[in-house]
């Protein structure tokens, strides 16, 4: 016996029937993006390691301990499986001069990789939908990207302020953060005994991130820390008020969370998260904010930007826990071909039906043949199809197919001509259960 190989821990297979849920979600996402004028981008999964080190900041969870990095075996280049989407999109924007004629609204969907401890809602390969709006400085686009998430919730049957909550903060500008930073370090130093090793280490490298600590005693000290919001100058304040007034006008409930700092260093001004109570510790479904310094930091011509990333696994878990995922789609018809000699003619008819948009599954024969009529009907029934299409010897001789209901036990069977499939294909897919309606 050869050893069976298992997949990589924390990296999941997506199989039927779950894959149908993801396909449904993908369609809803694309539909919303199209209505909002966002254009799709696909960037490589592998990027130079330096992109993330420079983009996200050295002293971040991701860069310090979560990246899958390796040397290219052929030339030694340092490469990394992307842990998030923004850095790659910004790199591509710079490389292809995408902003030469003004701003861009972009979105992406795809896998991300982080070496974390796998648990519910936290995996080593996971998937994100994200948007990046590049080139516009105003609070209007900050509000727009948040409203876009709200539109997505509505598209998926989630209610903001109930199933998902918006938390909002402003990180101000670098000079305001510097003043706050001094006050923050002083605050934490005065209570150094409550800090864990990680907080002590970050106290001087990145004290803002200490606010983000999950350690209880550190959290307690963070609770009373000086608030960045109180250090904002008039311009940052006006920007934040601009975002808030649009959200209020559009009826988006939110909570000001002065401790919301986000995991990457690149953010400034507006930051936000959409959180839920239904996923335990992994409650953040979507997070984002403004990152006006990143494009320049990655070597481009300075330009403002704002965006967010949303975890698809967490969104699916949330929809599942609330029972909001649709039932997987079922075929309209299941085709049974009892007479092997009829197979070619049956395939021609099925091809025409599928071209007309009808969802048809063919009963495929096993090594022992197609099986008894009874077992074929059992399979037909289990497929969820509404009709069985029977391509028997008599039918074929008459150039016809029999349509039998799989849902209404005593509904009479009907025969339809194979030469004029287009006459009855629309009725077949329309949704009735009775062959007479076809
Ligand atoms: P967390 O605090 O939960 O680790 P994060 O701040 O690291 O989240 P972001 O980098 O902002 O997360 O990524 C955006 C979203 O991607 C998160 O809100 C979450 O929904 C999802 N996400 C992040 N890491 C994972 C992971 N390891 N597994 C599954 N989803 C994830
Ligand atoms: Mg994280």
């Amino acid at each position: 016996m050869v050893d069976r190989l298992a997949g990589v821990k924390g990296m999941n297979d997506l199989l039927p029937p779950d894959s149908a849920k993801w396909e449904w979600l993908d369609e809803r996402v694309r539909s919303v993006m199209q209505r909002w004028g966002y254009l799709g981008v696909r960037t490589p999964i592998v990027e130079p390691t330096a992109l993330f080190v420079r983009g996200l900041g050295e002293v971040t969870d991701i860069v310090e301990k979560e990246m899958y990095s390796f040397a290219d075996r052929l030339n030694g280049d340092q490469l990394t499986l992307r842990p998030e989407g923004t850095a790659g999109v910004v790199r591509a924007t710079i490389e292809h001069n995408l902003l030469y004629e003004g701003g861009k609204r972009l979105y992406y969907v795809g896998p991300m990789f982080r070496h974390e401890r796998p648990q519910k809602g936290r995996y080593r390969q996971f998937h994100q939908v994200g948007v990046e709006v590049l080139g516009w400085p105003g609070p209007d686009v900050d509000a727009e990207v948040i409203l876009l998430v709200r539109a997505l919730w509505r598209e998926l049957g989630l209610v903001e302020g109930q199933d998902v909550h918006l938390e909002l903060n402003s990180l101000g500008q670098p000079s305001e953060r510097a003043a706050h930073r001094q006050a923050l370090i002083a605050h934490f130093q005065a209570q150094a005994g409550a800090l864990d090793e990680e907080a002590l280490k970050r106290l001087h490298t990145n004290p803002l991130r200490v606010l983000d600590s999950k350690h209880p005693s550190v959290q307690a000290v963070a609770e009373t820390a000086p608030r960045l919001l109180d250090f904002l100058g008039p311009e940052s304040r006006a920007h934040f008020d601009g975002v808030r007034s649009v959200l209020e006008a559009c009826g988006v409930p939110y909570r000001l969370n002065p401790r919301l700092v986000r995991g990457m260093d690149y953010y400034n001004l507006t930051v936000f998260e959409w959180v839920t109570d239904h996923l335990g510790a992994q409650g953040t479904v979507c997070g984002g904010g403004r990152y006006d310094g990143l494009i320049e930091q990655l070597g481009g011509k300075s330009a403002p930007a704002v965006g967010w990333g949303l975890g698809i696994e967490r969104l699916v878990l949330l929809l599942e826990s609330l029972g909001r995922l649709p039932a997987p789609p079922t075929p309209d018809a299941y085709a049974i071909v009892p007479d092997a000699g009829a197979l070619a003619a049956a395939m021609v008819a099925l091809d025409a039906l599928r071209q007309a948009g009808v969802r048809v599954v063919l009963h495929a024969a096993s090594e022992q043949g197609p099986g008894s009529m009874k077992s074929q009907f059992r399979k037909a029934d289990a497929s969820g199809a509404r009709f069985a299409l029977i391509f028997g010897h008599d039918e074929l001789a008459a150039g016809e197919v029999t349509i039998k209901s799989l849902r209404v036990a005593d509904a009479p069977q009907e025969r339809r001509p194979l030469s004029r499939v287009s006459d009855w294909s629309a009725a077949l897919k329309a949704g009735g259960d009775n062959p007479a309606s076809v």
Side-chain angles (χ1 to χ4, degrees):
M1 227 355 202
V2 178
D3 274 353
R4 219 188 317 177
L5 291 171
V8 177
K9 187 172 172 222
M11 304 200 180
N12 303 314
D13 298 309
L14 178 61
L15 306 171
D18 290 335
S19 49
K21 301 171 185 170
W22 283 62
E23 285 165 8
W24 170 80
L25 200 67
D26 271 352
E27 273 168 34
R28 308 276 42 88
V29 167
R30 287 184 208 292
S31 156
V32 172
M33 294 300 173
Q34 279 165 12
R35 273 176 278 155
W36 286 66
Y38 284 60
L39 309 174
V41 287
R42 298 185 194 194
T43 60
I45 283 165
V46 178
E47 295 276 4
T49 303
L51 175 67
F52 303 113
V53 176
R54 244 210 274 170
L56 311 189
E58 304 240 20
V59 194
T60 54
D61 280 348
I62 293 179
V63 171
E64 275 182 334
K65 53 192 183 200
E66 295 175 359
M67 294 204 301
Y68 282 92
S69 298
F70 54 96
D72 184 316
R73 267 210 288 184
L74 295 182
N75 62 12
D77 285 354
Q78 287 302 315
L79 304 176
T80 292
L81 301 185
R82 64 182 185 194
E84 57 94 59
T86 302
V89 171
V90 167
R91 180 205 44 74
T93 298
I94 298 168
E95 199 167 326
H96 305 286
N97 197 19
L98 278 191
L99 299 183
Y100 76 101
E101 53 175 11
K104 279 273 184 297
R105 292 174 165 91
L106 306 174
Y107 83 96
Y108 58 83
V109 182
M112 306 295 161
F113 302 83
R114 298 185 192 177
H115 198 280
E116 303 198 70
R117 191 170 70 77
Q119 51 199 294
K120 186 182 170 203
R122 193 177 293 286
Y123 312 101
R124 291 180 174 173
Q125 174 174 332
F126 63 99
H127 297 76
Q128 284 186 345
V129 180
V131 305
E132 315 295 350
V133 177
L134 306 144
W136 291 292
D140 49 348
V141 286
D142 302 31
E144 178 182 294
V145 297
I146 295 174
L147 287 167
L148 171 52
V149 187
R150 198 258 301 256
L152 186 59
W153 300 148
R154 292 187 168 179
E155 182 80 13
L156 301 172
L158 293 171
V159 182
E160 73 273 12
Q162 190 176 310
D163 305 321
V164 271
H165 302 269
L166 176 62
E167 304 212 334
L168 196 62
N169 192 18
S170 174
L171 299 182
Q173 298 296 6
S175 63
E176 294 154 354
R177 277 218 294 283
H180 172 251
R181 182 189 154 106
Q182 292 315 312
L184 200 57
I185 292 176
H187 172 83
F188 283 126
Q189 269 173 338
Q191 297 176 75
L195 304 187
D196 65 350
E197 199 185 321
E198 186 167 36
L200 282 171
K201 198 179 86 192
R202 288 198 166 156
L203 185 52
H204 290 281
T205 52
N206 197 345
L208 208 53
R209 294 297 321 285
V210 179
L211 295 175
D212 206 21
S213 168
K214 294 187 167 100
H215 194 283
S217 76
V218 181
Q219 275 183 352
V221 184
E223 207 77 58
T224 57
R227 291 166 16 129
L228 179 49
L229 277 180
D230 299 327
F231 287 75
L232 298 191
E235 277 187 30
S236 296
R237 205 166 275 283
H239 186 98
F240 198 37
D241 290 343
V243 178
R244 293 172 63 177
S245 66
V246 175
L247 294 179
E248 280 156 29
C250 294
V252 184
Y254 64 85
R255 194 171 76 89
L256 281 185
N257 179 355
R259 287 175 49 203
L260 179 62
V261 296
R262 311 272 312 119
M264 288 71 140
D265 283 356
Y266 51 56
Y267 290 109
N268 68 312
L269 292 174
T270 320
V271 286
F272 59 89
E273 288 187 350
W274 287 91
V275 299
T276 174
D277 307 327
H278 298 280
L279 296 179
Q282 273 60 252
T284 305
V285 183
C286 171
R290 183 161 276 286
Y291 53 92
D292 294 331
L294 184 62
I295 299 177
E296 188 173 28
Q297 197 175 313
L298 293 178
K301 181 162 161 278
S302 176
V306 58
W308 48 253
L310 182 157
I312 301 182
E313 282 80 357
R314 289 188 197 177
L315 178 55
V316 169
L317 284 169
L318 173 61
L319 289 164
E320 226 154 35
S321 76
L322 294 170
R324 309 271 162 81
L325 284 168
T330 48
D332 298 309
Y334 190 93
I336 290 173
V337 189
D339 175 356
L343 190 64
M347 289 293 228
V348 171
L350 295 184
D351 196 41
L353 283 170
R354 289 166 178 151
Q355 246 184 70
V358 180
R359 293 173 296 186
V360 198
V361 175
L362 169 68
H363 180 87
S366 71
E367 276 147 11
Q368 286 77 41
S372 67
M373 280 306 265
K374 196 168 159 210
S375 81
Q376 293 191 59
F377 273 110
R378 219 174 16 243
K379 281 276 197 305
D381 194 44
S383 76
R386 288 175 292 118
F387 296 112
L389 301 179
I390 305 156
F391 294 88
H393 181 77
D394 294 352
E395 284 91 342
L396 260 295
E400 292 177 343
V401 60
T402 293
I403 304 177
K404 179 178 158 44
S405 176
L406 291 165
R407 301 293 147 224
V408 185
D410 49 2
Q413 303 184 2
E414 298 280 337
R415 283 211 187 177
R416 292 289 177 271
L418 291 179
S419 56
R420 292 198 311 276
V421 160
S422 56
D423 288 357
W424 48 275
S425 57
L428 188 68
K429 104 187 144 180
D433 277 330
N434 195 331
S437 68
V438 174

